[in-house]
Amino acid sequence: MSVDILEQQRDGGSGSVRRRWPWIVAAVVLLLAGAYAGTAWAVSGRVPSGVSVEGVDVGGSSRDAAVAELEGQVAPRAAEPLPVTVGPVQDALDPAASGLSVDVPGTVDALVGFSLDPGDLLRHVSGSSEVEIDLEVDPGALDAAVADLASRVDAEKVEGAVTFDAGAAVVTDAAQGRTLDVDAAVDLIEQQWWTGERPFLLPADVVEPDVDQADVDQAAATFAEPATAGPLVVAAGDRTTELDPAVVTPALRLDAVDGALVPVVDGEVLKAGLLEADADFVAEPRNANVRLEGGRPVVVPAVNGVTIDPAALSAAALAALPTPERLATVETVVAEPEVTTADAEALGVDEIVSEFATTHTDNPGRTENLRIAAAAVSGTLLLPGETFSLNETLGRRTAAKGYNEAGVIVGGRLTEALGGGVSQMSTTLFNAMFFAGLEDVVHQPHSFYISRYPEGREATLNFGSIDLKFRNDSPHGVLIDAFVSDGQVHARMWSTRVWDIQAGKSERRNIRQPETITDTSEDCNPQSPTEGFDVTVTRTFVRDGATQRTEEFDTRYNPANRIICG
């Protein structure tokens, strides 16, 4: 019995122990966990010992002290300009404006905050650790900053070139074009802006010029520099002329062809420069003409000229310019006139097809103006299809040409101006044109009627604003003869008769009466009154007795007021 009791006691004690064991383990675990948490809490207020952030020792510091230390030493590095290189161009980005910054408080908070992470606790007790600063990137700001950088560093390619100015060669150096790869640059900066090697080499697409610097250097050395080194000597027959580089270079150029600069000499330009420097180097041809001699038209025969071919001059100069001798030898050629003697004879300037005369006033200055104008007009040959302009023929009326002050109409009143009276030449020519059957292009009657002129068949003139123009629409030449004699202004048209012209005129209508005005100004000119009216003139074209067509010219005259000088 005692043995059984003993065994039972043993079994009961072992079970009790087994029942208490989990509680013991749990208690130990809780004790250790509490100790771990307590340790973590105890160290959470300070940076672990031996910790450095970007090489700055902040171990054992409080949070605020660590933040202050890093703001003083690490943050300024983040504010330093970020140097970049794009091809040969150097630039820089402002990190703050580019959205690049460091998070000092966040970095420190991760070191001092309460954490049950064993690694964090180990950092506190191990005594040594290097920590990287937390980085922040604003993608929108970085994209904008790199785009702005592109606007500064991108460049169009520059084609190499050699031009000429004032007798000298002007070289334009070739340059690559480049375009910053914005997306790739943003990725590179975002990933490496804190740790990458400075300066950042940013990617760009490069565009090579078609004409590179080697092409430019070769063209300058082989042609441009020799071409401007001294005068060009041009020889034709027994005549030679030296042309300064300033005369030659307007004819020179270097054209880009397949990446090379090819020299070109413009023969026409060089010939013009040659003739300006030496007008007698060639004898230009003289066109046949028709002119008045002894009051009648005669044909002046054409004369062949002696000239040089611009293409031959170009080739000779192109070969000579790069050589030390710089001698361009060309052959002379016969130059045919544009208008041959036969052409002039075929114009049919054989007879007077119209003539008209108007009586001029007894004013010597005004009469002299008309003589000067008649001399300028007389001898004008209008070829078929050509248009005559009286203003272009006379030019501006000036004292240097001999014109005098004489009466003109300004604003409906008589006054005086240089060239006054020349409108009588216009009226006389208009009537000669009228009866020759030529085409009226433009004419303008006087503002009020002047009794010495036919009603509705007259034309005034003012340089720069009012012109007389008519066109030779006949198949023949028209030679104009104009002169002043026997108190009249005369105009004749020599040609071959095409039309018999008949003139008609309506009765006056819409009569308007003048007013009387008293003028007390010192420059007042008295004026007699003339009524205003409308009138229509007709021009009928007759050939072989049959009417072909009729034109009408409507004219409205203002009344000329009576001016009394007070």
Side-chain angles (χ1 to χ4, degrees):
M1 288 295 294
S2 62
V3 174
D4 293 336
I5 293 171
L6 180 61
E7 289 298 326
Q8 290 175 359
Q9 290 175 345
R10 287 177 179 174
D11 291 341
S14 175
S16 176
V17 170
R18 285 196 297 270
R19 286 192 296 270
R20 290 195 300 269
W21 175 250
W23 293 101
I24 295 170
V25 171
V28 171
V29 170
L30 287 173
L31 180 63
L32 291 175
Y36 182 88
T39 302
W41 178 260
V43 300
S44 65
R46 307 188 72 81
V47 177
S49 298
V51 169
S52 296
V53 178
E54 300 295 336
V56 179
D57 183 8
V58 291
S61 302
S62 67
R63 178 193 180 280
D64 291 345
V67 169
E69 184 70 14
L70 294 177
E71 290 285 5
Q73 296 195 49
V74 178
R77 287 170 49 193
E80 294 176 357
L82 186 65
V84 297
T85 298
V86 183
V89 180
Q90 294 182 342
D91 208 296
L93 291 174
D94 178 1
S98 304
L100 305 174
S101 61
V102 293
D103 183 6
V104 171
T107 303
V108 175
D109 286 343
L111 295 174
V112 303
F114 175 77
S115 174
L116 295 177
D117 187 333
D120 293 338
L121 188 58
L122 179 62
R123 187 160 48 234
H124 276 277
V125 300
S126 65
S128 177
S129 179
E130 178 64 33
V131 177
E132 294 180 354
I133 196 80
D134 289 345
L135 304 177
E136 291 187 335
V137 177
D138 180 345
L142 181 57
D143 288 345
V146 175
D148 183 62
L149 173 67
S151 70
R152 300 195 301 271
V153 300
D154 286 356
E156 295 288 338
K157 68 177 180 180
V158 178
E159 296 292 349
V162 180
T163 56
F164 299 91
D165 181 50
V170 180
V171 173
T172 299
D173 291 337
Q176 292 177 330
R178 61 187 170 276
T179 303
L180 177 65
D181 187 337
V182 173
D183 292 338
V186 167
D187 290 343
L188 186 149
I189 293 169
E190 185 174 2
Q191 296 170 16
Q192 302 182 25
W193 77 274
W194 184 252
T195 59
E197 183 179 350
R198 270 68 167 164
F200 281 94
L201 303 179
L202 300 184
D205 297 324
V206 176
V207 181
E208 297 290 344
D210 296 330
V211 179
D212 61 22
Q213 194 59 40
D215 300 322
V216 172
D217 294 341
Q218 181 180 12
T222 60
F223 182 77
E225 292 171 1
T228 57
L232 173 68
V233 179
V234 181
D238 58 356
R239 192 176 187 89
T240 61
T241 296
E242 280 192 357
L243 301 180
D244 290 338
V247 177
V248 176
T249 51
L252 306 184
R253 67 177 191 270
L254 285 155
D255 291 346
V257 180
D258 297 330
L261 292 176
V262 178
V264 176
V265 178
D266 188 320
E268 293 285 357
V269 174
L270 185 58
K271 180 182 177 182
L274 171 64
L275 295 183
E276 186 174 350
D278 184 359
D280 296 329
F281 193 88
V282 298
E284 293 295 334
R286 188 171 67 237
N287 288 330
N289 197 8
V290 181
R291 69 185 181 196
L292 291 165
E293 289 186 3
R296 293 193 58 83
V298 296
V299 173
V300 180
V303 178
N304 288 337
V306 177
T307 189
I308 54 177
D309 178 38
L313 178 60
S314 170
L318 191 61
L321 284 169
T323 67
E325 294 79 12
R326 308 172 61 78
L327 173 63
T329 301
V330 291
E331 298 292 333
T332 59
V333 294
V334 174
E336 298 284 347
E338 293 182 4
V339 181
T340 67
T341 302
D343 293 336
E345 291 172 343
L347 290 175
V349 183
D350 300 323
E351 60 180 323
I352 297 174
V353 297
S354 71
E355 58 182 325
F356 199 80
T358 56
T359 301
H360 61 72
T361 63
D362 187 17
N363 181 311
R366 186 178 186 277
T367 302
E368 182 62 21
N369 291 343
L370 287 167
R371 286 197 180 96
I372 295 170
V377 169
S378 191
T380 299
L381 177 65
L382 285 182
L383 300 178
E386 286 187 337
T387 297
F388 172 86
S389 165
L390 184 54
N391 267 333
E392 290 180 7
T393 302
L394 300 182
R396 186 179 296 276
R397 274 68 83 185
T398 65
K401 293 180 179 179
Y403 285 102
N404 304 281
E405 295 271 349
V408 295
I409 300 174
V410 177
R413 298 179 63 169
L414 289 172
T415 185
E416 291 196 345
L418 274 175
V422 171
S423 60
Q424 184 166 354
M425 185 77 256
S426 179
T427 290
T428 309
L429 274 176
F430 175 79
N431 279 274
M433 174 279 300
F434 183 96
F435 287 104
L438 302 182
E439 178 186 346
D440 174 46
V441 175
V442 63
H443 82 281
Q444 179 174 315
H446 288 82
S447 59
F448 57 75
Y449 176 61
I450 300 173
S451 60
R452 60 178 171 271
Y453 302 148
E455 293 180 14
R457 281 204 333 261
E458 44 89 11
T460 188
L461 191 71
N462 185 53
F463 187 80
S465 61
I466 304 173
D467 200 0
L468 169 68
K469 291 183 178 181
F470 52 85
R471 190 174 77 89
N472 177 13
D473 57 346
S474 79
H476 311 290
V478 175
L479 181 64
I480 302 174
D481 184 13
F483 56 94
V484 177
S485 68
D486 300 328
Q488 290 186 315
V489 180
H490 300 264
R492 292 174 181 165
M493 302 285 182
W494 291 81
S495 186
T496 295
R497 185 174 298 279
V498 176
W499 303 106
D500 292 322
I501 298 297
Q502 297 176 1
K505 181 179 72 67
S506 70
E507 295 294 327
R508 295 182 179 184
R509 60 185 184 275
N510 300 328
I511 306 300
R512 293 173 291 279
Q513 297 302 321
E515 298 177 357
T516 299
I517 297 174
T518 300
D519 186 351
T520 60
S521 63
E522 293 182 359
D523 58 352
C524 173
N525 287 314
Q527 181 174 289
S528 299
T530 304
E531 67 180 13
F533 60 92
D534 298 345
V535 68
T536 298
V537 168
T538 58
R539 177 166 66 160
T540 302
F541 293 76
V542 179
R543 179 183 293 158
D544 299 328
T547 297
Q548 302 298 316
R549 70 178 190 274
T550 298
E551 290 179 340
E552 290 188 350
F553 299 85
D554 292 320
T555 301
R556 177 184 176 85
Y557 291 112
N558 296 323
N561 294 323
R562 180 186 181 191
I563 306 297
I564 300 174
C565 295

